[in-house]
Amino acid sequence: MVTATEIIQLMESQRDEQQREILMRFFKTAPGEYGYGDEFLGLKVPQTREVVKAAAKDTPLDEVPALLMNRWHEVRLCGFLIFVDKFESQAKKRLENDVNAIRQRDEIVEMYLKYGERANNWDLVDLSVHKIIGHWLLLPTLLGGNEAGLHQDYKLKVLDELADSSCLWLQRMSIVCSWKTSQQGDPSYCLRYAEKHLHHPHDLMHKAVGWMLREMGKRVSMDLLRDFLAQHAHEMPRTALRYAIEQMNEDERKMWMMAK
């Protein structure tokens, strides 16, 4: 068994002051910026992934909240990536309809949502939500019903609550989770939450909406993306529109930008 205390001690022992200063600037932690108050050890993502690789299988699920409640950004990332590792181990094709695996996936989803606000920067969201919530959207669940099923109404309720939250990071989860569903050929979540967040005031959400629309177009249908743009390009924030059309040729990009 590997405890949260042991993981924290290991990660603190790798503290790098020079890299810490770089990360604090990169993740906008100065007063008035979106990451204000976030604290870093100075570990790069591959270092955190190495910790996850070594510890995830031997770290009980009930140890993860101690990581998520930790002050250090990298320790929280480690906790969310352990969730990812554990979810994916129970989401293999042969386990999709296994009742025990479904229960374990649902437990991870509930814990992820409970501690969602601890994913308080864009990387913590973007490295985890599509692999947990996004994947869960495609799989049978016992949440929302007495028998295992897709329970789409319940899943939409969960995402709507994220989207309607006052927390920027939970709002970002509701759209970035669609990365996974688009990869699997389902555009519905992307289109629903791109439209819902179309007039969001924050640039980080403009980027997320445009990015997810671009991925939906690439993975599912460029014509669906064009249909969305035909309806909304004139009202989209410039950043969202620019991100959404990145895969198009130069002439078409110019055409859509002129629709602003």
Side-chain angles (χ1 to χ4, degrees):
M1 172 176 161
V2 178
T3 67
T5 298
E6 290 169 328
I7 291 172
I8 294 166
Q9 289 174 345
L10 172 61
M11 297 185 77
E12 288 180 338
S13 73
Q14 299 177 53
R15 181 170 178 152
D16 182 328
E17 286 297 328
Q18 184 176 0
Q19 183 65 18
R20 176 176 176 271
E21 293 297 323
I22 293 170
L23 291 174
M24 289 182 70
R25 289 193 298 272
F26 182 74
F27 285 105
K28 308 295 185 185
T29 62
E33 295 182 318
Y34 62 75
Y36 176 59
D38 208 351
E39 297 185 82
F40 289 79
L41 287 167
L43 276 65
K44 296 180 179 179
V45 172
Q47 290 176 278
T48 301
R49 288 194 183 279
E50 283 299 312
V51 175
V52 173
K53 184 178 178 180
K57 289 180 174 57
D58 297 317
T59 303
L61 195 58
D62 60 10
E63 287 287 310
V64 177
L67 301 175
L68 302 180
M69 295 304 296
N70 191 264
R71 65 186 284 200
W72 302 117
H73 182 104
E74 297 92 338
V75 173
R76 296 196 304 281
L77 175 58
C78 181
F80 284 114
L81 292 181
I82 288 174
F83 273 160
V84 169
D85 185 273
K86 290 184 177 298
F87 188 93
E88 289 183 334
S89 72
Q90 298 302 317
K92 299 181 188 302
K93 194 71 177 174
R94 61 183 174 81
L95 295 175
E96 284 185 1
N97 296 294
D98 180 90
V99 174
N100 187 53
I102 292 171
R103 288 197 182 99
Q104 291 185 62
R105 295 196 303 260
D106 286 348
E107 184 179 5
I108 293 165
V109 165
E110 289 185 308
M111 290 181 74
Y112 185 88
L113 293 169
K114 179 179 179 179
Y115 292 96
E117 289 192 27
R118 300 299 294 170
N120 61 340
N121 218 310
W122 57 265
D123 63 317
L124 302 179
V125 173
D126 297 357
L127 291 171
S128 63
V129 71
H130 62 297
K131 294 184 176 181
I132 297 175
I133 303 302
H135 201 168
W136 172 71
L137 294 173
L138 299 164
L139 295 169
T141 179
L142 289 161
L143 301 177
N146 295 322
E147 296 183 1
L150 289 177
H151 299 302
Q152 298 291 26
D153 289 346
Y154 177 80
K155 290 173 179 177
L156 285 176
K157 178 175 176 291
V158 168
L159 292 195
D160 284 347
E161 287 176 357
L162 292 174
D164 294 336
S165 165
S166 61
C167 174
L168 171 65
W169 310 114
L170 298 185
Q171 294 166 354
R172 189 174 174 99
M173 285 180 180
S174 70
I175 181 67
V176 175
C177 71
S178 72
W179 193 4
K180 182 69 174 183
T181 52
S182 291
Q183 286 174 349
Q184 298 302 311
D186 182 351
S188 62
Y189 294 100
C190 174
L191 295 172
R192 178 184 178 91
Y193 294 99
E195 190 167 37
K196 195 172 186 70
H197 292 305
L198 203 60
H199 302 292
H200 196 285
H202 204 292
D203 184 64
L204 281 176
M205 289 298 291
H206 302 170
K207 292 176 180 177
V209 166
W211 170 30
M212 289 303 108
L213 285 170
R214 182 188 73 215
E215 290 300 309
M216 186 279 297
K218 182 169 67 175
R219 302 284 186 165
V220 183
S221 167
M222 290 299 290
D223 286 338
L224 268 181
L225 173 56
R226 292 184 180 103
D227 288 345
F228 184 93
L229 295 176
Q231 294 181 60
H232 299 295
H234 68 282
E235 59 180 335
M236 290 175 69
R238 199 168 188 84
T239 298
L241 180 57
R242 193 173 68 247
Y243 271 57
I245 62 178
E246 279 182 346
Q247 296 292 315
M248 297 177 179
N249 64 47
E250 184 178 358
D251 288 342
E252 188 170 7
R253 291 199 306 271
K254 287 180 178 177
M255 181 196 75
W256 288 117
M257 292 305 295
M258 288 175 63
K260 283 294 295 171

